[in-house]
Amino acid sequence: MENIYLGLVLSPLVGAILAGLFGKQIGRAGAHWVTILGVGISFVLSVLVFKYHVFEGAAAYNETVYTWMVSDGITFQIGFLVDQLTALMICVVTFVSLMVHIYTIGYMHDDPGYQRFFSYIALFTFAMLMLVMANNFMQLFFGWEAVGLVSYLLIGFWFKKDTAIYANLKAFLVNRVGDFGFLLGIAAILMYFGSLNYADVFAIAPSLKDSTVEIIPGSEWSLMTVVCILLFIGAMGKSAQVPLHVWLPDSMEGPTPISALIHAATMVTAGVFMVARMSPLFEYSETALGFVMVIGAITAFFMGLVGIVQNDIKRVVAYSTLSQLGYMMVAAGASAYAAAIFHLMTHAFFKALLFLAAGSVIIAMHHKQDIREMGGLKKYMPITYWTSLVGSLALIGFPGTSGFFSKDAIIEAVHASSVPGSDIAYWAVLLGVFITALYSFRMFFIVFHGKERMDQHIKEHLHEPPWVVWAPLVLLAIPSLLIGYFTVDSVLFGNYFGEAIFVLPEHDVLAKLGEGYSSEVGFILHGMMAPPFWLAMGGLFVAWFIYIRKPEIADKIKNSMQWVYTLLDKKYYADEFNAFFFAGGSRGIGRFLWRNGDARIIDGLIVNGSANTVGWISSVLRRMQTGYLYHYAFTMIVGMLAILSWYLFI
C-alpha cells in the first residue's frame, strides 16, 4: 500500500511541476491536462484507500517513508498515518479539488496566467494531502506552512491589483501570528513528550495529563492546557477564528476557483482537522475545550451577522464560511469531533458548490460581483439556479440535505455538553441558524429572483456558462443533497472513526445522542420538530418577505438602525483597529527607534560622534605642530624636567 500512498500524494505535485516549469512548452491545454490527470489519479487512489480501510476494515497504516535527520535522539521524518479519518479527508480534498480543476478551464480561459494558476492549485492539493496524511508533527508543520504559502500565491494571483497584493500580505501576516503559537505548541510537545511522532505523543499523554509548567515564576499551568491552546492558536489562524479571521474575507481578491478550494477543502479546514487529530491531547484539558468552544461560538454568531450586510456575492459566501467554521470548532470543543469532521465533509461539498455557482454568475455578469446589480437570473441560468438552491438549502440545514444532518448534530451535541461555555455556545449556534438562513436566501433571492437590475448590454448576453463550468456544479450538488443521509448513521453513531478519534467517556456527547437515534428518517422527523428547523424557516421567510415581497423594508431598517448597519458593514472595526494598533503601533515603534536609536545613538553618537572626536583631537594636535625650532626645544626641555622630577621625588 505504500506505493499507493506515495502515488496519491505525489501525483498532484508532478502535475504542478510540469505545468509550472514547462508551461510554455506544453501549452495551456497541456497544463490543465497534466494537473487534472494528477489530481484525478489522487482521487481514484483515495477511493481505493477508503475502500481498503473503511469497507474492508484494514488496520491503520502508520509507517515512516523517509528519515530526513536524527539529531540529539530526535528523529525528523516523512511518514504516513492512514486511518478512517485520513481516508475521509483525502476523498473530500481530492474530489473537490478535481471539480475545481475542471471548473478552472472555463473560468480562467482567457487569463494570461493560465498555466501558472493550474500549477498553483495542484500544488495546493499536494500540500493539503501531505498535511492530512502526516504521522508526525514535523510533516504536519510542513503541510501547514505549504498550504499557507500557496494560498499567499493564489490570493495575490492577479499581482497587478493593489487590493490582491494587500490581501495576500494580510493573509500571510495574520497566519504568521497563528503559526507562531502553533510552533510553540509543537516545541512544547518535543520538550515534554520527547518525540514528534503522533503515536508516541498520544501514548505518553495519559501519564502527563496532571503535569504542570511554570510559564510565569510562581504560577503553575496545566501542561495539556498550554500545549492545546498553543496548537489551537495555529488553528485560529488557518481556520480563521476570531480574532485571526480578518484575512479570510479579503482572500476573495483571488480568482473564484481558489476561493472554492481554500474555503471548502484545503486551508481553512486544516485547523478543524488538526484539532480532531489531536483529540488524545485536547481530551485531557477541559479548559482548552472550553476555549475552543467559546471562540468557535463567537465566530459562528458574529461573523454570520456580518454576512447579512455584504453586497459582494463572494463575500457573502466568505462570511458564511467563517460562520460554519465556527460551528465546526464548537463541535470540537464539545468533544463531538466526529460531528465536526462530518460537518467539514458536508460543508466542503455545498460550500464549493456555492462558490463555483457564484463564479458562474460572475462570468455571466461580465465579472460584476455586486448583487445589487443582479436579479432575475433564474430564467437565464437554470442550471446555476437549481444547483445554487441545493447549496443554499444544504447551508441552512433544510431537512434531508447534507447540511441538515451535520448542523443539527452539532447543535444537539453542544446542548448535551457540560464543557465550560457550552450554554453560551448553544445559544450562539442556535440563533446562528436563523442568521444563516437570512443571509443565504437574501443573496439567493436578490440574485435569482426579483427585478432585473443589470444593464441592457449584460442582459443581452446572459446565458449559462460552458459545460466545464456547470458540470462541476451538478456533480457537487449530488453529495450536497445526499451524502448526509447516507453517512450520518456510520460517521456520527456507528463508530466510523474507531481509534482515529479519542473521546473520554464523560465527554462522549455523541454517545448520548446515539441513544435516541433510530434511523435517518427518524432523525429528519425529529429535526423538523426541533427549534433549528423553525429558525431556519423563519430566516428564509424573512429573507423572502423583505427582499422580494416588500423590498422597501430593507432600506427602512437600514435607516432606522444606521449604527448597527455601520458596525456590521465595518466588520466591527476589526480592520481599523488592526491598522491603528498593530500596523500604526509598529510604525510608531519604528519611528521611535529610528529617531533615538539610529539618528541619535548610531549616527549622532557613534558614527558622527567618533568622527567629531577625532576631528577635535586632530585640531588640538595640529596646533602643537607649529614648525618653529625653539617651540620644539622648549617642549623637550619641559619634558626632561618632568622626567627628572619624577625620578627625584617619586
Side-chain angles (χ1 to χ4, degrees):
M1 289 296 290
E2 184 176 302
N3 291 333
I4 291 179
Y5 303 139
L6 283 171
L8 194 158
V9 171
L10 296 178
S11 294
L13 178 63
V14 172
I17 292 171
L18 291 175
L21 299 182
F22 305 101
K24 290 184 178 179
Q25 288 80 2
I26 63 178
R28 295 165 73 88
H32 71 236
W33 276 115
V34 294
T35 51
I36 289 174
L37 183 62
V39 175
I41 290 171
S42 285
F43 173 63
V44 172
L45 294 179
S46 298
V47 173
L48 290 176
V49 170
F50 188 88
K51 173 178 175 291
Y52 180 67
H53 284 280
V54 176
F55 290 112
E56 296 179 8
Y61 176 90
N62 184 14
E63 298 292 340
T64 298
V65 175
Y66 171 70
T67 299
W68 175 49
M69 182 174 66
V70 178
S71 176
D72 260 352
I74 305 300
T75 303
F76 300 90
Q77 58 195 19
I78 304 298
F80 295 144
L81 170 59
V82 184
D83 52 18
Q84 295 92 326
L85 175 58
T86 309
L88 185 149
M89 288 296 300
I90 60 178
C91 284
V92 171
V93 171
T94 54
F95 176 73
V96 173
S97 179
L98 181 60
M99 295 300 101
V100 170
H101 275 69
I102 296 170
Y103 179 93
T104 300
I105 297 173
Y107 193 88
M108 302 292 288
H109 183 265
D110 299 320
D111 197 284
Y114 191 82
Q115 293 97 314
R116 179 165 58 94
F117 189 81
F118 271 99
S119 175
Y120 286 171
I121 57 176
L123 187 62
F124 209 168
T125 307
F126 159 74
M128 189 63 184
L129 289 173
M130 285 291 286
L131 189 155
V132 300
M133 294 180 69
N135 73 343
N136 63 86
F137 286 93
M138 189 205 79
Q139 185 176 329
L140 173 70
F141 190 70
F142 165 79
W144 196 266
E145 293 303 303
V147 293
L149 169 63
V150 184
S151 70
Y152 170 82
L153 296 173
L154 284 162
I155 293 168
F157 180 78
W158 288 321
F159 54 84
K160 293 184 180 180
K161 290 174 59 180
D162 291 339
T163 52
I165 297 303
Y166 176 80
N168 74 348
L169 182 61
K170 187 176 182 180
F172 182 83
L173 292 175
V174 172
N175 274 278
R176 295 293 69 73
V177 175
D179 292 353
F180 180 67
F182 190 61
L183 191 57
L184 287 177
I186 293 175
I189 286 171
L190 180 58
M191 179 176 179
Y192 289 97
F193 291 76
S195 175
L196 290 175
N197 187 277
Y198 289 168
D200 296 339
V201 171
F202 296 161
I204 296 169
S207 64
L208 295 178
K209 65 180 180 179
D210 297 321
S211 298
T212 59
V213 293
E214 276 195 18
I215 299 177
I216 302 171
S219 176
E220 292 191 345
W221 294 46
S222 164
L223 172 63
M224 285 299 182
T225 297
V226 171
V227 167
C228 291
I229 288 179
L230 286 172
L231 291 176
F232 181 67
I233 289 172
M236 288 169 66
K238 277 289 180 290
S239 292
Q241 299 295 289
V242 172
L244 301 182
H245 67 286
V246 292
W247 68 270
L248 191 60
D250 286 356
S251 70
M252 297 301 97
E253 292 295 332
T256 300
I258 194 51
S259 299
L261 199 55
I262 288 177
H263 287 243
T266 52
M267 184 167 170
V268 298
T269 60
V272 179
F273 165 80
M274 185 276 294
V275 174
R277 177 60 84 192
M278 298 301 134
S279 58
L281 303 180
F282 278 86
E283 281 299 289
Y284 292 113
S285 173
E286 283 206 352
T287 303
L289 290 174
F291 183 71
V292 172
M293 181 183 288
V294 171
I295 292 294
I298 292 171
T299 305
F301 183 75
F302 288 101
M303 292 303 105
L305 287 174
V306 178
I308 297 172
V309 302
Q310 297 300 305
N311 295 311
D312 184 306
I313 189 171
K314 287 172 63 177
R315 285 182 181 265
V316 176
V317 187
Y319 278 99
S320 164
T321 300
L322 283 170
S323 182
Q324 297 308 304
L325 288 168
Y327 274 86
M328 297 175 208
M329 288 303 185
V330 167
S335 294
Y337 306 99
I341 297 299
F342 187 39
H343 195 52
L344 184 157
M345 174 186 69
T346 61
H347 175 265
F349 296 123
F350 63 71
K351 187 50 58 69
L353 171 59
L354 287 171
F355 264 115
L356 298 187
S360 177
V361 170
I362 292 170
I363 293 172
M365 291 293 299
H366 296 194
H367 291 273
K368 289 183 180 293
Q369 297 182 194
D370 193 328
I371 61 176
R372 293 170 295 184
E373 299 179 22
M374 302 176 190
L377 293 183
K378 176 184 177 182
K379 67 180 180 181
Y380 301 103
M381 308 176 68
I383 299 175
T384 303
Y385 171 82
W386 288 108
T387 53
S388 295
L389 179 59
V390 169
S392 298
L393 290 174
L395 174 59
I396 72 170
F398 189 81
T401 62
S402 61
F404 165 78
F405 293 100
S406 56
K407 186 178 285 188
D408 266 35
I410 290 173
I411 295 171
E412 291 300 320
V414 176
H415 197 201
S417 174
S418 59
V419 170
S422 57
D423 291 341
I424 297 172
Y426 172 71
W427 286 106
V429 295
L430 184 63
L431 295 176
V433 174
F434 176 84
I435 296 168
T436 302
L438 179 57
Y439 68 67
S440 298
F441 276 88
R442 168 184 177 264
M443 179 184 73
F444 182 80
F445 288 136
I446 291 175
V447 171
F448 293 104
H449 293 276
K451 180 182 177 182
E452 297 178 2
R453 292 173 292 274
M454 69 286 294
D455 59 48
Q456 190 61 33
H457 173 72
I458 292 177
K459 187 183 295 186
E460 290 173 354
H461 295 85
L462 277 175
H463 61 84
E464 199 75 71
W467 73 268
V468 289
V469 172
W470 63 255
L473 301 183
V474 174
L475 292 174
L476 285 165
I478 296 170
S480 297
L481 190 62
L482 301 175
I483 199 165
Y485 182 87
F486 289 106
T487 57
V488 61
D489 192 352
S490 58
V491 174
L492 282 185
F493 307 116
N495 195 30
Y496 165 84
F497 292 104
E499 296 181 359
I501 287 176
F502 172 75
V503 182
L504 291 173
E506 59 268 28
H507 292 165
D508 200 350
V509 291
L510 289 180
K512 298 177 185 176
L513 298 183
E515 293 173 0
Y517 175 79
S518 57
S519 65
E520 296 85 353
V521 175
F523 193 109
I524 294 172
L525 294 175
H526 177 269
M528 292 178 69
M529 297 295 107
F533 169 72
W534 296 108
L535 285 169
M537 293 303 98
L540 192 157
F541 174 78
V542 170
W544 170 82
F545 188 79
I546 292 178
Y547 297 102
I548 297 297
R549 189 76 177 86
K550 297 284 186 180
E552 64 275 9
I553 293 178
D555 292 329
K556 290 180 181 178
I557 295 174
K558 177 182 174 182
N559 294 330
S560 63
M561 304 182 68
Q562 187 64 48
W563 69 273
V564 176
Y565 178 85
T566 303
L567 182 67
L568 296 177
D569 188 49
K570 292 291 186 179
K571 298 158 284 189
Y572 309 109
Y573 293 92
D575 288 334
E576 287 78 3
F577 174 78
N578 290 334
F580 171 77
F581 186 79
F582 292 109
S586 298
R587 289 194 298 269
I589 293 171
R591 283 192 296 269
F592 174 81
L593 293 175
W594 166 67
R595 288 171 182 166
N596 296 282
D598 190 54
R600 293 183 182 177
I601 297 176
I602 297 175
D603 288 344
L605 182 61
I606 298 175
V607 177
N608 295 332
S610 60
N612 292 335
T613 302
V614 171
W616 178 80
I617 294 172
S618 299
S619 67
V620 172
L621 293 175
R622 186 168 60 249
R623 292 191 184 94
M624 297 175 65
Q625 303 295 323
T626 64
Y628 294 111
L629 185 61
Y630 63 86
H631 285 172
Y632 300 146
F634 176 75
T635 303
M636 292 172 65
I637 292 170
V638 172
M640 290 176 62
L641 289 173
I643 293 171
L644 286 172
S645 299
W646 188 80
Y647 275 110
L648 289 173
F649 297 105
I650 296 179

